[in-house]
Amino acid sequence: MTTALITGSTAGLGAAFARRLARDGHDLVLVARDAKRLAEQATELHDRHGIEAEVLPADLATDEGIEAVATRLGDRRNPVDLLVNNAGFGNKGRYLDVPVADELRMIKVHVEAVLRLTSAATAAMRERGRGGVVNVASVAAFVPRGTYGASKAWVVQFTQGVARDLAGSGVRLMALCPGFVRTEFHQRAGMGTDNIPGWMWLDADNVVAAALSDLARGRTLSIPDPRYKALMGLAKVTPRSLLGGISSKAGRKYGPR
């Protein structure tokens, strides 16, 4: 029985990954800030699926939190076979409307934590000759849209670069780039969602199923829906200057209110 470690496991895509992996028989290491929610989640998954669920309360916006998770990933006696770097958040408002401290916190969680945890996990996985890492990014990575999009673009480039460097080692890496997913993400950021068209919404469980299928196929990038695949294909051939204007208008129309 293999073990998966999921950051941001108590809500959204993280919870969907936990449900699916537990259902498939994987033991879990659940990571989030809220110890109470972690304990409740671990008990529910254990009782429902008969798997072992370890809890690791950690705030990935702090060095102490990142180091605690990195140490667990580096434990050779209790190896982690799959890392899902899912923890993340959004900030409401345009650039300069958001305090720099909040932007730096985002960089800490989306960039530094992903780098350090991926490094800890893959070092141990390469020694064993097997393992996988899913780094959750976003379709926002492909459009010029502030710190959030920039941090997710880094996740995509970093993940695909490391995947090339570790090719042939038995370790697979993949960046997952969903669009709008029905989770707590927007509510936590104080963003209105009533103005987002229904066709743009994705189901979290379907996103996870597509992601795990793409990882098994050895893909380094997963855009888990034909609608968003088409949109991102269009974005690739749209001039950057025009794309920036479209992205800004779409952000005001479909983003925070």
Side-chain angles (χ1 to χ4, degrees):
M1 187 175 291
T2 58
T3 298
L5 185 149
I6 307 164
T7 68
S9 70
T10 55
L13 279 178
F17 268 108
R19 289 192 300 269
R20 172 58 186 269
L21 291 168
R23 190 190 78 187
D24 290 348
H26 298 274
D27 288 336
L28 301 176
V29 182
L30 305 171
V31 179
R33 292 179 297 172
D34 191 325
K36 183 175 183 293
R37 287 185 73 179
L38 280 174
E40 292 170 351
Q41 181 185 32
T43 299
E44 178 184 355
L45 293 172
H46 170 75
D47 292 348
R48 179 171 297 182
H49 301 289
I51 54 93
E52 295 301 319
E54 175 186 344
V55 299
L56 177 51
D59 183 354
L60 297 183
T62 68
D63 285 330
E64 295 79 10
I66 296 173
E67 188 57 36
V69 182
T71 298
R72 177 62 184 87
L73 289 166
D75 187 346
R76 269 59 171 178
R77 294 171 300 175
N78 299 289
V80 170
D81 304 279
L82 175 65
L83 165 64
V84 180
N85 272 317
N86 167 75
F89 62 94
N91 286 323
K92 181 180 179 180
R94 297 184 186 183
Y95 186 66
L96 294 184
D97 292 336
V98 178
V100 172
D102 291 346
E103 300 278 51
L104 290 173
R105 181 169 169 264
M106 177 176 286
I107 295 297
K108 188 84 170 179
V109 175
H110 291 186
V111 176
E112 183 179 341
V114 170
L115 169 63
R116 291 170 61 181
L117 299 187
T118 298
S119 297
T122 54
M125 291 172 181
R126 185 171 62 175
E127 292 176 3
R128 300 193 303 276
R130 67 183 187 278
V133 177
V134 176
N135 288 330
V136 178
S138 167
V139 294
F142 305 110
V143 295
R145 190 65 188 151
T147 303
Y148 181 84
S151 67
K152 294 303 186 179
W154 180 90
V155 170
V156 172
Q157 294 295 318
F158 167 74
T159 303
Q160 292 192 299
V162 175
R164 285 192 294 270
D165 286 346
L166 294 181
S169 69
V171 182
R172 296 179 178 181
L173 292 97
M174 186 184 77
L176 171 60
C177 297
F180 289 107
V181 183
R182 293 197 181 280
T183 68
E184 298 176 11
F185 178 90
H186 297 90
Q187 180 182 355
R188 287 183 173 185
M191 299 177 182
T193 58
D194 292 343
N195 54 347
I196 300 173
W199 67 266
M200 297 185 75
W201 287 105
L202 303 177
D203 175 77
D205 292 325
N206 291 339
V207 169
V208 168
L212 293 175
S213 177
D214 284 344
L215 181 67
R217 291 187 175 99
R219 294 178 178 171
T220 62
L221 177 67
S222 175
I223 301 175
D225 187 88
R227 292 164 289 182
Y228 280 99
K229 284 184 173 73
L231 287 173
M232 293 307 102
L234 181 62
K236 288 181 180 179
V237 298
T238 303
R240 297 292 288 180
S241 58
L242 177 60
L243 186 62
I246 295 172
S247 173
S248 179
K249 291 178 182 178
R252 289 194 293 272
K253 184 175 181 181
Y254 299 137
R257 291 208 270 183

